[in-house]
Amino acid sequence: MASFVPHSTLVLTGDDVRTLDAHRLGWLLDDAVDRGIGDVIAEVDDVPQALIDAVLARDLRLLVGVTCFHEHGEVTFSAESARRPIGADGKPRERIEWYVGLLPTDHRVVAEIVARCARLAAVPGVSGLVLDFIRWPLHWELEQREDGRRTPAASYDLVTLGDFSDRTGIRVPTDPAEAATELMGVHAERWRRYRAETITHLVRLIADLAHDSGIHLGAFVVPITPEEVGQDVRAWEGFVDVLYPMTYHAILHLEPEWVGDVVASLRQCVSTPVVPVIQLTASAEYSGGWDWGNEIPPADIDAALRGAGSSASAAFFPGTAIRELPRLATPQPEKTRR
């Protein structure tokens, strides 16, 4: 299979796809083409044929975002069918805003994700999958702010603790508080590696599935210390085709120039293509009322784009706010199709 050459990318949520009628979708995609967009990521569990037709009719490439360890509207796990992350206090991790994390050690959830990826990879017209929420539980957009509460991206439930012991030979207490003390202390490095290996194993499995189907695999990456959530991007090199760091500067209360710092850091440690996801707006019109930080002036978008690099591609979120993107001559590599 030919190597994946990423283009500048429009990122659409499942809600975007469900609420855009044919006219508005066509207008959005036409505007995207005019602005140099070549790829569309749509985060859906079932790909509408109308979306496929509209994207391909404009000679764009369709990638499907796959929601992994987050309970969402289209795939909901009840208390009986999915375990909740357990904190050091022995209590289930609280919902934060819209975010409800699921466990990478929950075999029922993992099996559903793999089955969904296999089904989506077989859809004609899909050029790739992009894994989202492929991490241990953390609502990083709020928890990684400078004033965030920084709950550890881990779980001290009995199944996870037992799996850790089985795979490492290290026995830890079953009491969550005692286990957390040991795992964040004397066993911290092995605990970090265990969580990363758990994620990497699934990413490799899905990469093999995607590549066997003739399509590519990407992953959304937490922009601050991705290793904290088990995202070992170095270990993914060779089977993940593109990284999309979620550089939402306004949500994190950071300056737009920070985007360039994230991109430079990733490009120094991996040869995998890096496509930063640039936040276009914080308006409640797009955020649904959630805290996306302060509004973003056009000059900040320009600064974030400069951070992506003059010869590189960028992705834009939310895609429905594409009108906020300055009409720049976005550099585009020669297109490589499936």
Side-chain angles (χ1 to χ4, degrees):
M1 184 173 64
S3 61
F4 183 80
V5 180
H7 311 313
S8 287
T9 305
L10 194 72
V11 181
L12 300 177
T13 68
D15 286 341
D16 293 335
V17 174
R18 284 188 292 273
T19 57
L20 286 170
D21 59 28
H23 175 74
R24 292 171 60 213
L25 176 63
W27 172 86
L28 181 69
L29 295 178
D30 287 340
D31 199 14
V33 170
D34 289 344
R35 295 171 189 271
I37 299 296
D39 290 344
V40 176
I41 299 175
E43 189 145 348
V44 292
D45 294 332
D46 292 290
V47 191
Q49 187 61 47
L51 174 64
I52 297 172
D53 293 343
V55 169
L56 298 186
R58 292 162 174 82
D59 199 30
L60 298 169
R61 189 167 52 183
L62 178 61
L63 312 174
V64 178
V66 179
T67 300
C68 296
F69 298 111
H70 163 56
E71 183 178 290
H72 59 293
E74 296 180 49
V75 176
T76 301
F77 296 92
S78 67
E80 293 75 31
S81 63
R83 304 191 327 274
R84 293 297 182 208
I86 300 298
D89 58 2
K91 298 178 181 179
R93 184 182 175 90
E94 295 179 0
R95 177 191 184 103
I96 303 178
E97 291 190 329
W98 46 268
Y99 177 73
V100 180
L102 298 175
L103 280 170
T105 51
D106 191 325
H107 298 301
R108 289 162 294 188
V109 174
V110 170
E112 190 283 328
I113 293 169
V114 173
R116 186 158 27 108
C117 287
R119 175 171 53 79
L120 291 169
V123 175
V126 170
S127 292
L129 305 178
V130 182
L131 302 179
D132 198 5
F133 300 95
I134 185 68
R135 63 180 190 256
W136 288 80
L138 189 74
H139 186 18
W140 62 270
E141 295 94 327
L142 300 188
E143 295 184 82
Q144 288 195 330
R145 285 177 175 175
E146 187 175 351
D147 59 353
R149 64 183 188 179
R150 300 239 173 203
T151 305
S155 178
Y156 307 103
D157 64 282
L158 290 177
V159 173
T160 298
L161 296 178
D163 186 56
F164 172 79
S165 294
D166 290 345
R167 285 167 50 186
T168 65
I170 299 172
R171 299 299 164 187
V172 294
T174 56
D175 176 76
E178 295 177 7
T181 297
E182 291 194 11
L183 292 172
M184 300 300 287
V186 65
H187 301 309
E189 176 57 24
R190 192 63 191 90
W191 179 235
R192 182 198 65 78
R193 283 193 286 126
Y194 161 79
R195 289 181 290 128
E197 289 164 1
T198 301
I199 297 298
T200 297
H201 174 77
L202 178 59
V203 173
R204 181 181 286 276
L205 177 65
I206 296 172
D208 289 345
L209 183 157
H211 296 156
D212 288 347
S213 299
I215 66 173
H216 300 280
L217 183 73
F220 288 109
V221 177
V222 171
I224 299 176
T225 56
E227 61 275 8
E228 179 182 344
V229 297
Q231 294 185 330
D232 185 353
V233 296
R234 291 182 179 89
W236 298 357
E237 194 155 12
F239 54 89
V240 171
D241 301 300
V242 57
L243 301 175
Y244 296 94
M246 297 173 286
T247 49
Y248 307 154
H249 70 280
I251 290 179
L252 286 167
H253 298 171
L254 296 171
E255 296 300 318
E257 290 79 8
W258 163 79
V259 172
D261 296 337
V262 175
V263 171
S265 177
L266 282 171
R267 288 178 180 157
Q268 284 175 359
C269 69
V270 296
S271 60
T272 310
V274 175
V275 179
V277 187
I278 293 173
Q279 181 184 355
L280 293 177
T281 181
S283 169
E285 176 186 352
Y286 298 96
S287 73
W290 303 119
D291 183 0
W292 282 14
N294 296 324
E295 194 45 83
I296 303 172
D300 282 6
I301 297 176
D302 286 340
L305 280 168
R306 287 194 295 272
S310 60
S311 61
S313 299
F316 303 102
F317 173 83
T320 47
I322 191 67
R323 68 189 183 199
E324 305 295 337
L325 179 65
R327 289 188 177 276
L328 303 176
T330 307
Q332 288 294 304
E334 183 180 351
K335 293 191 176 182
T336 301
R337 297 295 176 186
R338 284 179 61 181

